Amino acid sequence: MEKEICIKNRMDELVRVNQFIEEIGEELGLDMELQMNLNLVMEEMVVNVISYAYPEGTEANIELKAETKGKELTFVLSDRGREFDPTLSETADMDVNPAERELGGMGIFIVKNIMNEVTYQRLEGKNLLTMKKNINN
């Protein structure tokens, strides 16, 4: 299975990301919990790109590709925004009371806990975030 979606860097495009994950889940016969987790991961990372990758008022494309090889589902999120490696950012300290915790870091914490592997690279002016999940379907 190989699928791809190209969205604009606008919050209203998250609906299309959700539909994309739903279609993949149905096609692969994934259980609802895994689909919801994958949706959460993609939403977290796409919102980060929409919120931080481009100067305000700049319209740009964000691409999300998905493919399976055997029992591994791989997503690649790409954009041409500011260079940012979320795998290097500090994850939120879960031992601190949420009301006292500094903002930021929760998204990548969630992604690293749900996905089996998360890697980043910058190639030819593009941010490429690769997220892999082992699936048993």
Side-chain angles (χ1 to χ4, degrees), residues 10 16 25 42 47 63 69-70 74 82 92-93 100 104 112 117 119 126:
R10 297 189 320 256
R16 295 184 55 219
M42 296 314 138
V47 165
E63 295 173 0
K69 287 186 181 158
T74 301
R82 290 186 190 98
D93 184 350
E100 298 168 5
K112 286 179 177 176
E117 185 182 329
T119 56
K126 273 187 163 182

mmCIF file of all heavy atoms in Angstrom, residues 10 16 25 42 47 63 69-70 74 82 92-93 100 104 112 117 119 126:
data_model
loop_
_atom_site.group_PDB
_atom_site.id
_atom_site.type_symbol
_atom_site.label_atom_id
_atom_site.label_comp_id
_atom_site.label_asym_id
_atom_site.label_seq_id
_atom_site.Cartn_x
_atom_site.Cartn_y
_atom_site.Cartn_z
ATOM 1 N N ARG A 10 -2.858 25.054 6.619
ATOM 2 C CA ARG A 10 -4.008 25.686 7.290
ATOM 3 C C ARG A 10 -4.648 24.655 8.215
ATOM 4 O O ARG A 10 -4.743 23.475 7.873
ATOM 5 C CB ARG A 10 -5.050 26.152 6.273
ATOM 6 C CG ARG A 10 -4.575 27.223 5.317
ATOM 7 C CD ARG A 10 -5.733 27.776 4.482
ATOM 8 N NE ARG A 10 -6.673 26.755 4.040
ATOM 9 C CZ ARG A 10 -6.734 26.270 2.793
ATOM 10 N NH1 ARG A 10 -5.924 26.712 1.861
ATOM 11 N NH2 ARG A 10 -7.625 25.343 2.482
ATOM 12 N N ARG A 16 -8.749 16.678 6.356
ATOM 13 C CA ARG A 16 -8.250 15.809 5.278
ATOM 14 C C ARG A 16 -7.202 14.830 5.793
ATOM 15 O O ARG A 16 -7.142 13.682 5.342
ATOM 16 C CB ARG A 16 -7.687 16.657 4.133
ATOM 17 C CG ARG A 16 -8.773 17.483 3.447
ATOM 18 C CD ARG A 16 -8.287 18.259 2.245
ATOM 19 N NE ARG A 16 -7.654 17.368 1.280
ATOM 20 C CZ ARG A 16 -6.550 17.701 0.589
ATOM 21 N NH1 ARG A 16 -5.987 18.864 0.732
ATOM 22 N NH2 ARG A 16 -6.041 16.848 -0.274
ATOM 23 N N GLY A 25 -6.376 3.102 7.649
ATOM 24 C CA GLY A 25 -6.832 2.147 8.668
ATOM 25 C C GLY A 25 -7.799 1.132 8.103
ATOM 26 O O GLY A 25 -7.685 -0.067 8.371
ATOM 27 N N MET A 42 -0.221 12.069 13.697
ATOM 28 C CA MET A 42 -0.170 12.907 12.489
ATOM 29 C C MET A 42 -0.707 14.305 12.765
ATOM 30 O O MET A 42 -0.150 15.288 12.292
ATOM 31 C CB MET A 42 -0.942 12.255 11.341
ATOM 32 C CG MET A 42 -0.364 10.935 10.871
ATOM 33 S SD MET A 42 1.430 10.953 10.640
ATOM 34 C CE MET A 42 1.829 9.373 11.361
ATOM 35 N N VAL A 47 0.129 19.888 12.922
ATOM 36 C CA VAL A 47 -0.142 21.159 13.612
ATOM 37 C C VAL A 47 1.172 21.897 13.882
ATOM 38 O O VAL A 47 1.246 23.121 13.732
ATOM 39 C CB VAL A 47 -0.945 20.938 14.913
ATOM 40 C CG1 VAL A 47 -0.917 22.175 15.807
ATOM 41 C CG2 VAL A 47 -2.378 20.564 14.585
ATOM 42 N N GLU A 63 3.287 17.653 2.630
ATOM 43 C CA GLU A 63 3.010 16.337 2.053
ATOM 44 C C GLU A 63 3.106 15.267 3.129
ATOM 45 O O GLU A 63 3.974 15.318 3.987
ATOM 46 C CB GLU A 63 4.019 16.028 0.945
ATOM 47 C CG GLU A 63 3.898 16.961 -0.238
ATOM 48 C CD GLU A 63 5.018 16.744 -1.259
ATOM 49 O OE1 GLU A 63 5.888 15.871 -1.047
ATOM 50 O OE2 GLU A 63 5.016 17.469 -2.260
ATOM 51 N N LYS A 69 5.432 -1.998 4.238
ATOM 52 C CA LYS A 69 6.356 -3.035 3.781
ATOM 53 C C LYS A 69 6.290 -4.112 4.841
ATOM 54 O O LYS A 69 6.726 -3.897 5.975
ATOM 55 C CB LYS A 69 7.778 -2.497 3.645
ATOM 56 C CG LYS A 69 7.962 -1.593 2.448
ATOM 57 C CD LYS A 69 9.411 -1.194 2.270
ATOM 58 C CE LYS A 69 9.529 -0.273 1.071
ATOM 59 N NZ LYS A 69 10.709 0.545 1.089
ATOM 60 N N GLY A 70 5.696 -5.232 4.478
ATOM 61 C CA GLY A 70 5.529 -6.301 5.466
ATOM 62 C C GLY A 70 4.646 -5.819 6.600
ATOM 63 O O GLY A 70 3.545 -5.340 6.392
ATOM 64 N N THR A 74 4.937 3.032 7.389
ATOM 65 C CA THR A 74 5.833 4.183 7.445
ATOM 66 C C THR A 74 5.127 5.422 6.922
ATOM 67 O O THR A 74 4.509 5.390 5.857
ATOM 68 C CB THR A 74 7.105 3.934 6.589
ATOM 69 O OG1 THR A 74 7.766 2.765 7.080
ATOM 70 C CG2 THR A 74 8.057 5.116 6.655
ATOM 71 N N ARG A 82 10.881 26.229 7.874
ATOM 72 C CA ARG A 82 12.109 26.381 8.655
ATOM 73 C C ARG A 82 12.644 25.014 9.049
ATOM 74 O O ARG A 82 11.875 24.116 9.376
ATOM 75 C CB ARG A 82 11.815 27.154 9.949
ATOM 76 C CG ARG A 82 11.486 28.592 9.745
ATOM 77 C CD ARG A 82 11.359 29.301 11.110
ATOM 78 N NE ARG A 82 10.822 30.620 10.908
ATOM 79 C CZ ARG A 82 9.540 30.940 11.071
ATOM 80 N NH1 ARG A 82 8.671 30.043 11.465
ATOM 81 N NH2 ARG A 82 9.129 32.169 10.867
ATOM 82 N N ALA A 92 8.593 16.566 27.081
ATOM 83 C CA ALA A 92 8.023 17.099 28.316
ATOM 84 C C ALA A 92 8.394 16.206 29.495
ATOM 85 O O ALA A 92 8.444 14.987 29.374
ATOM 86 C CB ALA A 92 6.514 17.192 28.165
ATOM 87 N N ASP A 93 8.650 16.831 30.629
ATOM 88 C CA ASP A 93 8.946 16.087 31.857
ATOM 89 C C ASP A 93 7.621 15.642 32.462
ATOM 90 O O ASP A 93 6.861 16.440 32.996
ATOM 91 C CB ASP A 93 9.711 16.987 32.835
ATOM 92 C CG ASP A 93 10.137 16.249 34.093
ATOM 93 O OD1 ASP A 93 9.678 15.095 34.304
ATOM 94 O OD2 ASP A 93 10.929 16.820 34.863
ATOM 95 N N GLU A 100 2.334 23.105 36.087
ATOM 96 C CA GLU A 100 3.639 23.760 36.289
ATOM 97 C C GLU A 100 4.626 23.457 35.161
ATOM 98 O O GLU A 100 5.709 24.025 35.123
ATOM 99 C CB GLU A 100 4.236 23.301 37.625
ATOM 100 C CG GLU A 100 3.380 23.686 38.813
ATOM 101 C CD GLU A 100 3.805 22.998 40.092
ATOM 102 O OE1 GLU A 100 4.830 22.287 40.101
ATOM 103 O OE2 GLU A 100 3.085 23.148 41.102
ATOM 104 N N GLY A 104 5.184 23.044 25.450
ATOM 105 C CA GLY A 104 5.977 22.386 24.413
ATOM 106 C C GLY A 104 6.493 21.033 24.853
ATOM 107 O O GLY A 104 6.578 20.726 26.037
ATOM 108 N N LYS A 112 6.818 9.805 20.013
ATOM 109 C CA LYS A 112 7.850 8.812 20.341
ATOM 110 C C LYS A 112 7.277 7.623 21.107
ATOM 111 O O LYS A 112 7.797 6.516 21.005
ATOM 112 C CB LYS A 112 8.977 9.458 21.152
ATOM 113 C CG LYS A 112 9.877 10.346 20.325
ATOM 114 C CD LYS A 112 10.957 10.968 21.196
ATOM 115 C CE LYS A 112 11.927 11.806 20.401
ATOM 116 N NZ LYS A 112 12.924 12.472 21.272
ATOM 117 N N GLU A 117 9.618 4.066 15.646
ATOM 118 C CA GLU A 117 10.836 4.740 15.220
ATOM 119 C C GLU A 117 10.465 6.094 14.635
ATOM 120 O O GLU A 117 9.526 6.209 13.854
ATOM 121 C CB GLU A 117 11.545 3.893 14.149
ATOM 122 C CG GLU A 117 12.877 4.413 13.713
ATOM 123 C CD GLU A 117 13.497 3.542 12.617
ATOM 124 O OE1 GLU A 117 13.249 2.317 12.589
ATOM 125 O OE2 GLU A 117 14.195 4.110 11.770
ATOM 126 N N THR A 119 12.527 9.451 12.893
ATOM 127 C CA THR A 119 13.793 10.023 12.447
ATOM 128 C C THR A 119 13.523 11.281 11.629
ATOM 129 O O THR A 119 12.447 11.446 11.052
ATOM 130 C CB THR A 119 14.607 9.033 11.590
ATOM 131 O OG1 THR A 119 13.819 8.607 10.478
ATOM 132 C CG2 THR A 119 15.042 7.821 12.398
ATOM 133 N N LYS A 126 14.146 20.500 2.297
ATOM 134 C CA LYS A 126 12.907 19.924 2.841
ATOM 135 C C LYS A 126 13.156 19.299 4.202
ATOM 136 O O LYS A 126 14.169 18.638 4.423
ATOM 137 C CB LYS A 126 12.377 18.811 1.923
ATOM 138 C CG LYS A 126 11.490 19.251 0.819
ATOM 139 C CD LYS A 126 10.924 18.017 0.128
ATOM 140 C CE LYS A 126 9.723 18.374 -0.712
ATOM 141 N NZ LYS A 126 9.129 17.215 -1.346
#
